[in-house]
Amino acid sequence: MSQHTARSTSGTGPDTGWAAGGTLFAGVLMLVIGVISILEGIAGIVEDEVYLRVGGYVFSWNLTAWGWIHLVLGVLVAITGWGILRGMEWSRYLGVALASLNIIVQFLFLPYQPVWALFSMAVSVFVIWALVSTESHRPA
């Protein structure tokens, strides 16, 4: 007896579940990271002393400016995460771009919040991987 297993070309194979799950998780992560960045931005705008410099760093900007950068980026990331959860095609491309931008911004913000910046950079790398590796799959 032999069993023949046909490959699924309709997008219902086992890889589709992982792809849709990764995209769904990337959307949730972007939504959460966006909301946290909004709160981080508001804290930086309202009270400059919230963030303490950990050490010397080449890139040093005004903390109010950092607050506005985090606020605007957080709003864009949260909206894009919502778009990913809704299955909108534009949000996948914008999600990759914003996650890449978030890595750069968090790298420059390392002296103020090193642990959070490293965590956010790692999450952004996962988001990029999830959105790029699931090119033709959309969440259910």
Side-chain angles (χ1 to χ4, degrees), residues 17-109:
W18 279 102
T23 303
L24 178 67
F25 190 55
V28 170
L29 284 176
M30 285 191 74
L31 196 58
V32 170
I33 292 291
V35 169
I36 291 173
S37 291
I38 290 169
L39 296 174
E40 189 176 28
I42 291 171
I45 292 168
V46 172
E47 186 67 41
D48 281 351
E49 287 80 29
V50 166
Y51 301 114
L52 298 174
R53 181 176 280 261
V54 174
Y57 203 59
V58 175
F59 306 105
S60 61
W61 293 346
N62 183 353
L63 284 173
T64 304
W66 273 118
W68 283 105
I69 290 169
H70 283 293
L71 180 66
V72 171
L73 185 61
V75 168
L76 292 173
V77 168
I79 290 171
T80 304
W82 175 79
I84 290 170
L85 292 175
R86 301 283 300 160
M88 298 178 183
E89 191 64 31
W90 60 266
S91 62
R92 297 172 54 81
Y93 301 112
L94 188 58
V96 171
L98 287 176
S100 301
L101 181 62
N102 189 49
I103 291 171
I104 295 167
V105 166
Q106 294 300 331
F107 175 77
L108 295 174
F109 199 64

